[in-house]
């Protein structure tokens, strides 16, 4: 028996970092996916195969010592196997077209797809059950996760987190992602922002209020098909991210290089590397690679509306 689940990558349109401190955020699932395939094996081990390597263990009791790239899978296998008797082992294989460590939600998508895939060998879980378990799995590598990334990977579409209600999107967003090719650590960036908050309490709470106000206007901008207002708000959000110091020279230069042809652009995800997103008009799309210059990667994205998808083959 084989259980296959796929989950999408994500972008954060508005509110990264501030969401960790309780503000809303607007996220979208995008058309890059990870696929996780799980099957039973005779021997009582858990084997995880991914492009980052292979990990095999027979000790399910402790996942804390496991390298972070494999830890959520061992955690999930432990949780799911311990509530289902009389099974041997598991083989879990991950195939992904989501770039790792650049703010596109690769680890959240893996946690969501793995939860659906492994549990699918036993009982099909509801989306709500998947998200609850996937967040716990993600917490084994990043305890302070806001839960926003795994939520949008589970439900798909554009959401105003913490709501899971999809924002109606008849709006053609034309979003371009540009990858600085500098990997980042979400944990380190989030810790840095917490330090900023500690040292600048009043300003940080003002920034949270500004972020909330910005987000409050966005659904209306989308309903009104107002790309200009949306772009301006993205650039405004970038100013807040620069103030909390998660930007750097490379990201700043990338944003500046697209200034003339985009309606707005900003970091997406934790920053300190990773990706930016830009709202670009159709007629300007082909100029993006030249303007960004050598050593960057860029691609247009479409919004994924499906979220996690899973099936079991007997
Ligand atoms: O860069 P990513 O994909 O790990 O995004 C992190 C988003 C943060 O708001 C910085 C953290 C979170 O848990 O929401």
């Amino acid at each position: 028996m084989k259980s296959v689940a796929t989950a999408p990558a994500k972008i954060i349109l508005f509110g990264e970092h501030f969401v960790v401190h309780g503000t809303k955020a607007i996220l979208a699932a995008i058309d890059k996916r990870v696929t996780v395939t799980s099957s039973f094996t005779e021997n009582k081990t858990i084997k995880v195969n991914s492009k980052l390597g292979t990990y095999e263990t027979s000790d399910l009791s402790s996942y804390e010592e496991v390298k972070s790239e494999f830890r959520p899978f061992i955690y999930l296998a432990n949780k799911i196997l311990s509530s289902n008797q009389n099974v041997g082992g598991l083989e879990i294989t991950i195939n992904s077209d989501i770039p790792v460590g650049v703010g596109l939600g690769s680890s959240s998508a893996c946690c969501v797809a793995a939860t659906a895939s492994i549990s699918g060998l036993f009982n099909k879980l509801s989306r709500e059950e998947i998200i609850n378990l996937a967040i716990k799995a993600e917490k084994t590598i990043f305890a302070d996760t806001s839960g926003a990334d795994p939520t949008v990977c589970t439900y798909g579409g554009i959401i105003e987190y913490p709501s899971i209600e999809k924002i109606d999107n008849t709006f053609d967003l034309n979003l371009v992602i540009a990858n600085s090719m500098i990997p980042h650590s979400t944990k380190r960036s989030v810790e840095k922002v917490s330090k900023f908050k500690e040292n600048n309490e009043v300003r940080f709470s003002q920034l949270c209020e500004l972020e909330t106000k910005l987000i409050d206007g966005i659904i209306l901008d989308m309903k009104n098909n107002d790309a200009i207002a949306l772009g301006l708000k993205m650039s405004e959000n970038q100013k807040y991210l620069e103030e909390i110091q998660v930007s750097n020279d490379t990201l700043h230069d990338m944003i500046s290089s697209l200034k003339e042809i985009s309606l707005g652009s900003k970091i997406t995800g934790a920053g300190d590397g990773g990706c930016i997103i830009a709202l670009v008009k159709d007629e300007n799309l082909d100029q993006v690679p030249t303007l960004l210059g050598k050593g960057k990667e860029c691609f247009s994205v479409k919004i994924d509306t499906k979220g996690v998808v899973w099936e079991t083959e007997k």
Side-chain angles (χ1 to χ4, degrees):
M1 186 154 115
K2 209 160 77 172
S3 172
V4 185
T6 79
K10 69 91 210 351
I11 48 175
I12 301 184
L13 290 164
F14 295 93
E16 50 275 271
H17 286 293
F18 299 104
V19 68
V20 177
H21 301 274
T23 72
K24 295 187 268 191
I26 299 199
L27 297 98
I30 57 168
D31 56 347
K32 285 201 175 284
R33 297 185 83 85
V34 59
T35 302
V36 177
T37 306
S38 309
S39 53
F40 292 123
T41 53
E42 300 276 294
N43 48 343
K44 283 198 172 282
T45 65
I46 305 299
K47 188 174 180 190
V48 184
N49 312 303
S50 83
K51 65 175 177 212
L52 301 175
T54 293
Y55 181 83
E56 188 163 8
T57 182
S58 54
D59 176 14
L60 281 190
S61 58
S62 65
Y63 53 85
E64 286 89 350
E65 303 303 316
V66 177
K67 270 169 95 182
S68 62
E69 56 265 41
F70 298 111
R71 200 179 304 146
F73 304 103
I74 303 302
Y75 168 84
L76 285 168
N78 179 16
K79 276 266 157 220
I80 296 167
L81 289 190
S82 63
S83 49
N84 291 279
Q85 302 301 312
N86 301 327
V87 272
L90 278 186
E91 180 158 6
I92 303 162
T93 301
I94 301 129
N95 281 302
S96 180
D97 61 7
I98 308 174
V100 177
V102 292
L104 299 180
S106 161
S107 71
S108 297
C110 279
C111 289
V112 168
T115 305
S117 166
I118 303 168
S119 63
L121 287 169
F122 303 95
N123 306 304
K124 213 171 163 179
L125 299 182
S126 65
R127 278 178 205 266
E128 202 184 340
E129 288 167 320
I130 289 176
I131 180 69
N132 288 336
L133 194 48
I135 290 177
K136 286 188 187 138
E138 178 143 56
K139 284 191 173 181
T140 66
I141 41 174
F142 172 42
D144 292 328
T145 176
S146 65
D149 287 14
T151 302
V152 79
C153 295
T154 302
Y155 289 95
I158 305 181
I159 61 166
E160 187 189 56
Y161 185 80
S163 168
I164 55 166
E165 205 69 30
K166 288 187 193 168
I167 299 173
D168 188 20
N169 173 41
T170 40
F171 189 63
D172 192 8
L173 279 174
N174 240 340
L175 283 164
V176 171
I177 295 186
N179 186 349
S180 67
M181 310 302 277
I182 305 171
H184 68 191
S185 152
T186 302
K187 189 167 178 275
R188 265 203 302 278
S189 302
V190 167
E191 281 165 5
K192 196 165 84 175
V193 173
S194 292
K195 280 250 151 57
F196 177 92
K197 182 185 174 183
E198 250 171 68
N199 297 332
N200 306 274
E201 258 182 61
V202 175
R203 183 57 186 155
F204 192 79
S205 84
Q206 283 169 350
L207 287 169
C208 286
E209 273 170 38
L210 289 168
E211 184 72 53
T212 303
K213 267 203 198 125
L214 203 68
I215 288 176
D216 282 343
I218 284 156
I219 295 185
L220 196 63
D221 294 341
M222 284 190 180
K223 275 197 184 129
N224 292 341
N225 231 327
D226 192 345
I228 293 179
L230 199 69
L232 287 171
K233 288 195 173 80
M234 282 168 66
S235 299
E236 182 66 17
N237 195 160
Q238 175 60 19
K239 287 190 198 152
Y240 309 157
L241 292 168
E242 286 185 9
E243 196 170 333
I244 60 172
Q245 294 161 15
V246 293
S247 192
N248 60 26
D249 290 349
T250 307
L251 297 170
H252 186 84
D253 290 351
M254 287 167 73
I255 287 171
S256 301
S257 70
L258 300 182
K259 206 168 175 174
E260 296 303 317
I261 60 145
S262 71
L263 300 171
S265 52
K266 63 179 275 295
I267 288 167
T268 186
D272 285 323
C275 294
I276 63 159
I277 46 170
L279 196 58
V280 179
K281 281 189 184 160
D282 252 350
E283 62 267 29
N284 293 332
L285 276 176
D286 56 354
Q287 296 182 49
V288 174
T290 318
L291 289 172
L292 283 171
K294 280 203 184 113
K296 314 281 185 306
E297 208 174 70
C298 63
F299 48 92
S300 292
V301 282
K302 297 255 170 296
I303 306 300
D304 164 276
T305 54
K306 297 193 293 274
V308 63
V309 176
W310 65 112
E311 62 188 47
T312 308
E313 295 163 19
K314 297 246 171 179

